[in-house]
C-alpha cells in the first residue's frame, strides 16, 4: 500500500506489521505525553525533585542524550572536515540519532523549567557568564544544524525527490554540507563543553567544582572529549540494534570498524585525562575545600553513591571499552564490539549522572546529611518518552528514507520474485531439458 | 541578546559570546539562503544536479 | 548597579548572629514568613519542599550525655560577595536569565521573580540551601490574604525565591530619607524583620563597611566565623560563638588539618 514511498531496491515489512509496531511504541509515547501534560498543567510538584535536588533525572537525561548524540557532530567532523570518506555510509544514521537526541533534550528542558512560557528569557535576558546560557544558545543553534543535515534525507524520499525544487534543494544542501558540519562541530564543542562547565563552575559544590583554564573548568574539555568518544559508540550501538531488529546487515564492517577504532582512541585518551583529573581533584582541589574522597563516596544512604560508581564509570565504562576498541581483534569480534559500545555508553551516562545527582547529594554544610531522591512516575515517563519518540522516528526514517546507502548492496533482492505458477513451469522446463540433455538456450531455440 | 536589552554591556564577554553566536547564525542563515536560492534558480532554468556521494 | 560604579555611598549590608544568645525560639522564622508573604502548603511534613527563607538549624556536638551540647543556628541567605568582591556569588554568576543580581550599591543578592523561569541552576549552585522553589502556586486560607504585606509581591509557581534582607524595608527607608531631604539612611531605619523579632537580640544588622554600625565591630569579634569560608563564597553573614565545636561546625576540615577556629585576636 505504501510501496511507492519505500526507497527503491530495498525490502520492508508489510504495512500492517509496521503499523502494529508503531502502535505498540505509541502506547509508551502517550504515557510519556500524559506525564508531560501533567507537569505542564499542574507544575513541577508532579516530580520528586525538592529544594536540595533542583536538578535531577531530567537534567541527567539531557546531559546523557546530548553526550550520546555527540556521534552526529563527531562523525560529521570526521566525514566532512577530516575527510574519512567511508563514514558517508553511516553519517545519515548518525545525523538521525543526533537529531532525535537533541530534539529530546530540548523537549525535556521545556518540561523541566518551572515557567515554560518564559523559556525564551534565557535568550532575551541572556547572562553571558552562565554556562547554561551558552548551552541554550549552542544547543538550539546546533539543533538547527542537525535539522539542516536531516532535511536532505527527507527530501530524498522517492516521492518528494520527484519534485524538481526539492530534488535540487537536497542536491545543493549536500554540496555545502561541509560548511554546516563545520559549524555544527564548532557549536558542539562549546555546548558539550558548557554542559561540563555547568557543574564544573559550581565553586560552592566541592563534588562538582574543578579548576581549569581561563573561564573553563577541566570538565568543559572532558565533556566535549567524552561526547566525541562515546557518541560514535552510541551510533554503532543503535546501528547494531537496528540490524538485529530488521534482521539485515545495513552498514559494512569496515565502516563500523573505522568508527570504532577512532572512538576507541578518543575514549582511551579521554579516560586517561579523566583519571588524571580525578586524581588532581581528589588530592588537590577537594582537600583545599576541606573534603576528602572518602567523604564523597562513603556513608551515604544505601551506598547509592559508593566507590562502586566511580569504578563503574572510570574502569568498567571507560578503560575496558577503550582497550577493546583500540585493539583490532576487539573491534572485529562481534561480541566484544557489542560489549565495548554498551559499556562506553553506560560509562558516559554514569559520568553525567554523578555530575548532576551526586553533586547535589553530597552534604556541604557540616550539619546537613546526604540528600536522597527517587524520581516520580511522571519524571520516568517523560524520560522514556524520547526513547519511544526516537524509536518511531527511526522506524519511519528507515522505512521511507534512504538512510543506509549500503543496504541494497549488502542485501541484494532475490533473483526474481516469481509466482508459484512460474516456478512450477520453470521446474517442468528444466526437467524436460534434463531428459533431452539440452541447454536452456538450445531448448528455447 | 540584543544591545537594547538592559543587561547588555559593551564588554569583552559580550563581544566573545555574541561574536561567536552571530557568526554561527550567519553561516547557517547564509548557507540555507544560498541553497534555497540556487535550488530555485536551478529549478527555473532546469539545471538540476543529481547526488551520488552522501 | 554594575561593577565599577562604586562611590562613597557604597554599602555592604550584612548580619552578625550571636549563637551564644540564640535560644532557637524561631521568632525570626515566623517574622520572616509574615513579612515576606512566604507561602505554605496544607501539608508541610516534607521540609525539603517547604519555603523557609530563614531556617533555624539545631546543631549538636555529637557527644553522649552528660557532655552533649546543642546550638541553634539561624541561616538566612549569606548574600555572598564571591571571590574577589566582584559580586561573583555562586548563584548570581550562573543564572542564565539575569534573574538574580548582586547589588554593588548594597551588597544584597536580589531575586527578580518575574524574570526567573525556574531552571533552578542557582539552587544547585548554593551550598547553603538558601534558595527555594515554588513547587505550588501560593494559596492563602480564606481571610488570611488580608494579612499579606502590601510591600512585598507574592510569588507564582515555578520560580525561585530567597531571603533578600527585607529589601522592601531598605526602599521604604530610602524613600523616607528622600522626603526628609536626606541622602543617607540611619542604621536603625533599615532593619530586617528577623532582627526586630529576635527576643534575645541575637541578630545584628547593618553596613559592614560603616564603622558607626554595630556589625562593623561585631564582625571583628574573636568569636566570629562564617559558614564554609574555605569555598571562598565570601558570605556577609557572620556568626559569633564562644564554643569551639560550634565554630568548627562552620566549615569542613580534613583529617590532621590544623583547625583554625581559635578565637581570633584583633
Amino acid at each position: 500500500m505504501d510501496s511507492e514511498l519505500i526507497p527503491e531496491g530495498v525490502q520492508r515489512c508489510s504495512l500492517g506489521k509496521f503499523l502494529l509496531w508503531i502502535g505498540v511504541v505509541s502506547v509508551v509515547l502517550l504515557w510519556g505525553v500524559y506525564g508531560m501534560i501533567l507537569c505542564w498543567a499542574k507544575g513541577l510538584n508532579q516530580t520528586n525533585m525538592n529544594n536540595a535536588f533542583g536538578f535531577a533525572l531530567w537534567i541527567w537525561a539531557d546531559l546523557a542524550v546530548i553526550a550520546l548524540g555527540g556521534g552526529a557532530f563527531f562523525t560529521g567532523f570526521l566525514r566532512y572536515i577530516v575527510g574519512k570518506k567511508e563514514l558517508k555510509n553511516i553519517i545519515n544514521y548518525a545525523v538521525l540519532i543526533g537529531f532525535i537526541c537533541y530534539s529530546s533534550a530540548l523537549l525535556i528542558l521545556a518540561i523541566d523549567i518551572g515557567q515554560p512560557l518564559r523559556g525564551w528569557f534565557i535568550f532575551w535576558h541572556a547572562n553571558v557568564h552562565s554556562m547554561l546560557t551558552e548551552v541554550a544558545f549552542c544547543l538550539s543553534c546546533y539543533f538547527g544544524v542537525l535539522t539542516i543535515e536531516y532535511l536532505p534525507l527527507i527530501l530524498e524520499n522517492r516521492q518528494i525527490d520527484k519534485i524538481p525544487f526539492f530534488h535540487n534543494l537536497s542536491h545543493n544542501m549536500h554540496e555545502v554540507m561541509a560548511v554546516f558540519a563545520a559549524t555544527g562541530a564548532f557549536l558542539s564543542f562549546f555546548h558539550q563543553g558548557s554542559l561540563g562547565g555547568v557543574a564544573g563552575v559550581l565553586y560552592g559544590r566541592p563534588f562538582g567544582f574543578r579548576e581549569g583554564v581561563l573561564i573553563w573548568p577541566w570538565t568543559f574539555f572532558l565533556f566535549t572529549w567524552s561526547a566525541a568518544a562515546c557518541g560514535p559508540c552510541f551510533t554503532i550501538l543503535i546501528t547494531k540494534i537496528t540490524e538485529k531488529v530488521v534482521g539485515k546487515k545495513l552498514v559494512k564492517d569496515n565502516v563500523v570498524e573505522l568508527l570504532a577504532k577512532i572512538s576507541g582512541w578518543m575514549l582511551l585518551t579521554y579516560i586517561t585525562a579523566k583519571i588524571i583529573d580525578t586524581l588532581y581533584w581528589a588530592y588537590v582541589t577537594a582537600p583545599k575545600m576541606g573534603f576528602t574522597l572518602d567523604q564523597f563516596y562513603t556513608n551515604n544512604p544505601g551506598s547509592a553513591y559508593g566507590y562502586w560508581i566511580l569504578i563503574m564509570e572510570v574502569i568498567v565504562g571507560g578503560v575496558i571499552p577503550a582497550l577493546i576498541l583500540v585493539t583490532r581483534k576487539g573491534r572485529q569480534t562481534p561480541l566484544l564490539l557489542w560489549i565495548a559500545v554498551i559499556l562506553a555508553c553506560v560509562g558516559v551516562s554514569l559520568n553525567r549522572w554523578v555530575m548532576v545527582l551526586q553533586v547535589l547529594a553530597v552534604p556541604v554544610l557540616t550539619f546537613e546529611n546526604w540528600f536522597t531522591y527517587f524520581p516520580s512516575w511522571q519524571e520516568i515517563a517523560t524520560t522514556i518518552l524520547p526513547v519511544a519518540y526516537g524509536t518511531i522516528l527511526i522506524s519511519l526514517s528507515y522505512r521511507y528514507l534512504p538512510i543506509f546507502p549500503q543496504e541494497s548492496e549488502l542485501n541484494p533482492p532475490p533473483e526474481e520474485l516469481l509466482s508459484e505458477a512460474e516456478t512450477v513451469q520453470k521446474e517442468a522446463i528444466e526437467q524436460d531439458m534434463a531428459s533431452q540433455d539440452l541447454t536452456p538456450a538450445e531448448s528455447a531455440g | 541578546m540584543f544591545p537594547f536589552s538592559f543587561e547588555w554591556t559593551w564588554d569583552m564577554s559580550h563581544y566573545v559570546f555574541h561574536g561567536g553566536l552571530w557568526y554561527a547564525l550567519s553561516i547557517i542563515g547564509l548557507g540555507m539562503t544560498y541553497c534555497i536560492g540556487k535550488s530555485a534558480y536551478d529549478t527555473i532554468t532546469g539545471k538540476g544536479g543529481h547526488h551520488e556521494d552522501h | 548597579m554594575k561593577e565599577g560604579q562604586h562611590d562613597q555611598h557604597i554599602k555592604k549590608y550584612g548580619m552578625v548572629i550571636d549563637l551564644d544568645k540564640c535560644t532557637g525560639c524561631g521568632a525570626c522564622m515566623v517574622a520572616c514568613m509574615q513579612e515576606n508573604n512566604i507561602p505554605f502548603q496544607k501539608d508541610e511534613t516534607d521540609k525539603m519542599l517547604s519555603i523557609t527563607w530563614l531556617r533555624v538549624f539545631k546543631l549538636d556536638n555529637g557527644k553522649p550525655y552528660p557532655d552533649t551540647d546543642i546550638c541553634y543556628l539561624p541561616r538566612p541567605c549569606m548574600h555572598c560577595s564571591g571571590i574577589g568582591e566582584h559580586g561573583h556569588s555562586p548563584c548570581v554568576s550562573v543564572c542564565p536569565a539575569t534573574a538574580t543580581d548582586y547589588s554593588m550599591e548594597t551588597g544584597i543578592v536580589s531575586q527578580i521573580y518575574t524574570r526567573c523561569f525556574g531552571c533552578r541552576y542557582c539552587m544547585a549552585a548554593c551550598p547553603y540551601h538558601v534558595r527555594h522553589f515554588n513547587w505550588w502556586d501560593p494559596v492563602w486560607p480564606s481571610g488570611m490574604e488580608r494579612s499579606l504585606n502590601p510591600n512585598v509581591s507574592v510569588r507564582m509557581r515555578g520560580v525561585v525565591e530567597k531571603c533578600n534582607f527585607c529589601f522592601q524595608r531598605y526602599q521604604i527607608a530610602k524613600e523616607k530619607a528622600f522626603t526628609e531631604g536626606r541622602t543617607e539612611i540611619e542604621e536603625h531605619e533599615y532593619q530586617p524583620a528577623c532582627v526586630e523579632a529576635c527576643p534575645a537580640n541575637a541578630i545584628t544588622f547593618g553596613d559592614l563597611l560603616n564603622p558607626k554600625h554595630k556589625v562593623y565591630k561585631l564582625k571583628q569579634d574573636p568569636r566570629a566565623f562564617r559558614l564554609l569560608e574555605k569555598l571562598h563564597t565570601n558570605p556577609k553573614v557572620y556568626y559569633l560563638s564562644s564554643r569551639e565545636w560550634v565554630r568548627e561546625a562552620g566549615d569542613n576540615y580534613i583529617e590532621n588539618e590544623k583547625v583554625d577556629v581559635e578565637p581570633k585576636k584583633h
Side-chain angles (χ1 to χ4, degrees), chain C residues 95-110:
Chain C
C95 176
T98 332
T100 182
D101 191 32
Y102 183 89
S103 164
M104 292 309 239
E105 190 185 349
T106 60
I108 292 173
V109 176
S110 62

Side-chain angles (χ1 to χ4, degrees), chain C residues 28-229:
Chain C
C28 52
M29 292 172 72
V30 176
C32 173
M33 295 195 80
Q34 187 63 40
E35 168 75 18
N36 293 296
N37 297 336
I38 294 174
F40 47 87
Q41 310 143 38
K42 277 185 184 165
D43 179 5
E44 283 277 353
T45 45
D46 186 352
K47 297 299 175 205
M48 295 311 292
L49 298 172
S50 297
I51 300 180
T52 43
W53 286 14
L54 176 66
R55 180 176 167 188
V56 178
F57 284 86
K58 184 182 175 185
L59 280 60
D60 71 73
N61 64 349
K63 291 183 181 170
Y65 179 83
D67 299 320
T68 192
D69 190 12
I70 60 160
C71 171
Y72 293 99
L73 185 141
R75 183 237 44 203
C77 172
M78 300 288 137
H79 294 274
C80 307
S81 308
I83 300 165
E85 301 275 348
H86 297 133
H88 183 72
S89 323
C91 54
V92 171
S93 52
V94 300
C95 176
T98 332
T100 182
D101 191 32
Y102 183 89
S103 164
M104 292 309 239
E105 190 185 349
T106 60
I108 292 173
V109 176
S110 62
Q111 181 72 15
I112 309 164
Y113 311 122
T114 47
R115 177 78 66 78
C116 174
F117 66 90
C119 74
R120 305 180 300 286
Y121 192 13
C122 56
M123 292 168 68
C126 176
Y128 305 102
H129 288 132
V130 305
R131 290 180 162 271
H132 300 85
F133 188 70
N134 282 273
W135 301 100
W136 287 267
D137 265 320
V139 178
W140 309 95
S142 180
M144 205 175 168
E145 68 277 0
R146 280 179 289 171
S147 69
L148 291 175
N149 183 348
N151 294 318
V152 178
S153 65
V154 290
R155 282 74 62 184
M156 65 297 284
R157 182 180 87 194
V159 302
V160 172
E161 61 179 69
K162 64 160 204 76
C163 156
N164 56 15
F165 278 163
C166 294
F167 189 71
Q168 64 281 0
R169 293 187 170 208
Y170 176 73
Q171 289 171 312
I172 292 167
K174 286 284 279 184
E175 280 170 21
K176 183 170 174 279
F178 181 77
T179 54
E180 291 171 3
R182 290 181 287 131
T183 54
E184 288 299 305
I185 56 172
E186 298 295 322
E187 185 181 12
H188 69 273
E189 287 182 302
Y190 170 38
Q191 292 292 314
C194 56
V195 181
E196 289 184 341
C198 180
N201 278 329
I203 313 176
T204 313
F205 181 81
D207 180 6
L208 295 166
L209 298 177
N210 190 336
K212 292 177 191 163
H213 286 205
K214 289 194 279 291
V215 288
Y216 183 84
K217 273 194 184 143
L218 281 172
K219 71 172 181 174
Q220 297 171 56
D221 189 296
R223 300 173 295 150
F225 68 99
R226 293 181 293 176
L227 295 179
L228 305 175
E229 288 200 58

Side-chain angles (χ1 to χ4, degrees), chain C residues 242-261:
Chain C
S242 54
R243 290 170 286 181
E244 192 176 320
W245 73 265
V246 174
R247 293 196 297 275
E248 201 175 320
D251 218 330
N252 293 282
Y253 298 93
I254 57 171
E255 214 178 336
N256 303 325
E257 184 181 358
K258 188 176 172 291
V259 181
D260 181 25
V261 290

Side-chain angles (χ1 to χ4, degrees), chain A residues 170-202:
Chain A
S170 169
H171 171 76
N172 287 322
M173 286 176 78
H174 275 295
E175 292 290 304
V176 293
M177 199 51 82
V179 177
F180 291 127
T183 313
F186 168 79
L187 291 166
S188 291
F189 175 81
F190 281 101
H191 76 244
Q192 295 281 2
S194 298
L195 281 170
V198 164
V201 298
L202 301 181

Side-chain angles (χ1 to χ4, degrees), chain A residues 4 42 72 79 335 373:
Chain A
E4 290 300 305
K42 295 189 171 185
R79 162 73 185 87
L335 180 66
Y373 154 85

Side-chain angles (χ1 to χ4, degrees), chain A residues 364-385:
Chain A
V364 184
L365 285 169
T366 60
F367 42 88
E368 285 188 322
N369 292 316
W370 280 80
F371 297 96
T372 53
Y373 154 85
F374 193 84
S376 69
W377 74 260
Q378 291 92 329
E379 287 174 273
I380 294 170
T382 41
T383 306
I384 291 173
L385 162 66

Side-chain angles (χ1 to χ4, degrees), chain B residues 4-5 8 11 13-15 18 21 30-31 37 39 49 54:
Chain B
F4 50 79
S5 60
W8 186 278
D11 60 14
S13 309
H14 281 74
Y15 295 144
H18 288 280
L21 171 72
L30 288 172
S39 303
H54 27 87

